[in-house]
Amino acid sequence: MDPVAKAAADLSPFALFMEADIVVKLVMFGLFAASIWSWAIIIERARKLKAINAQAKAFEDWFWKADSLDALYEPAARANHPSARLFIAGMNEWRQSLATGRFDRDGLRTRLASAMQVSIARDIDTAGDRLNILATIGAVAPFVGLFGTVWGIMRSFTAIAASQNTTLAVVAPGIAEALFATAIGLFAAIPAVIGYNRLLHNVGRLEARLMAFAEEYQGLLSRMLDNMESK
């Protein structure tokens, strides 16, 4: 078979990569690596958030069935999830304020709310870790692929000018390589964007759950404070 016709016939992804210019190869390799990285982040964060939600549900059920808050303190201190840390933050502020013997009721409620909000903010920041990488890959990958496409098409036109041959057999391989770079860019970007939006939604649901638990927890402590003052 004629070499030019053979090159035109063999347009498999591997062949396109091997025949591509070094610049296009670097673009393809970078996009492929970015795709693997984004999938690793998506899988790891999805599993992490699923585990956190399961732990939060279990702790909240345990919380409302407990005989006293003090009985929950030691087990919660050994736990390692946002709901337990939220509980510990509130209890630490509660105990420190009561230990003084004299405290302002409104000031205590404000400090309890602040301690819980700080705990939530820290855990939500941790839960959303590396989501910015997905956003970056989703936004940048198509343009990186487009750069590879433009470079590949420029190379094809250069080959046409050098050979002075405009047949499809000469033009097709270079254009196919160029378009393959765009395809890889989309292959990396689309899952990253979908994963980012889905995980961001899950982080938002976790934050809403923690905020609701904090409100209920703070209400319980506020009622306990009112009972102490009425005695």
Side-chain angles (χ1 to χ4, degrees):
M1 181 183 291
D2 180 70
V4 175
K6 183 178 179 181
D10 190 3
L11 298 178
S12 66
F14 180 75
L16 291 175
F17 176 79
M18 295 305 297
E19 295 297 327
D21 180 72
I22 183 63
V23 174
V24 181
K25 281 183 179 178
L26 290 174
V27 168
M28 292 179 180
F29 181 79
L31 290 171
F32 185 70
S35 179
I36 294 175
W37 193 11
S38 67
W39 274 109
I41 293 173
I42 290 169
I43 294 171
E44 187 273 335
R45 287 290 94 184
R47 289 179 175 176
K48 183 71 173 178
L49 289 170
K50 183 178 180 180
I52 289 174
N53 275 295
Q55 291 168 339
K57 183 180 184 304
F59 183 82
E60 289 170 18
D61 292 341
W62 185 29
F63 176 86
W64 293 113
K65 293 177 182 178
D67 295 331
S68 68
L69 296 181
D70 290 330
L72 283 174
Y73 187 86
E74 290 300 327
R78 294 192 297 269
N80 185 28
H81 56 84
S83 295
R85 285 190 286 270
L86 170 61
F87 171 77
I88 293 298
M91 282 300 292
N92 285 340
E93 183 59 44
W94 174 263
R95 288 181 170 184
Q96 290 171 10
S97 297
L98 294 185
T100 62
R102 299 178 61 185
F103 55 87
D104 176 65
R105 182 177 63 180
D106 292 334
L108 173 55
R109 286 172 173 153
T110 300
R111 290 192 301 273
L112 286 170
S114 178
M116 295 179 193
Q117 288 172 1
V118 169
S119 177
I120 293 172
R122 287 174 178 168
D123 280 310
I124 291 301
D125 184 63
T126 302
D129 185 35
R130 289 179 288 179
L131 293 190
N132 62 318
I133 297 175
L134 293 180
T136 302
I137 292 174
V140 174
F143 294 101
V144 175
L146 182 60
F147 168 76
T149 297
V150 172
W151 187 274
I153 291 176
M154 288 173 57
R155 181 169 172 262
S156 297
F157 281 120
T158 302
I160 292 172
S163 63
Q164 297 184 353
N165 188 343
T166 59
T167 61
L168 185 61
V170 174
V171 177
I175 294 179
E177 295 163 12
L179 295 176
F180 187 49
T182 297
I184 296 178
L186 295 175
F187 178 76
I190 292 174
V193 172
I194 295 174
Y196 172 78
N197 288 330
R198 183 60 184 171
L199 291 173
L200 189 64
H201 173 70
N202 290 343
V203 170
R205 290 182 62 186
L206 175 61
E207 183 177 14
R209 180 172 200 151
L210 292 175
M211 291 293 293
F213 176 60
E215 290 291 335
E216 293 173 336
Y217 179 29
Q218 187 178 354
L220 177 61
L221 293 176
S222 181
R223 289 192 295 272
M224 290 174 60
L225 182 61
D226 290 340
N227 291 335
M228 290 172 58
E229 292 185 344
S230 63
K231 293 179 180 180

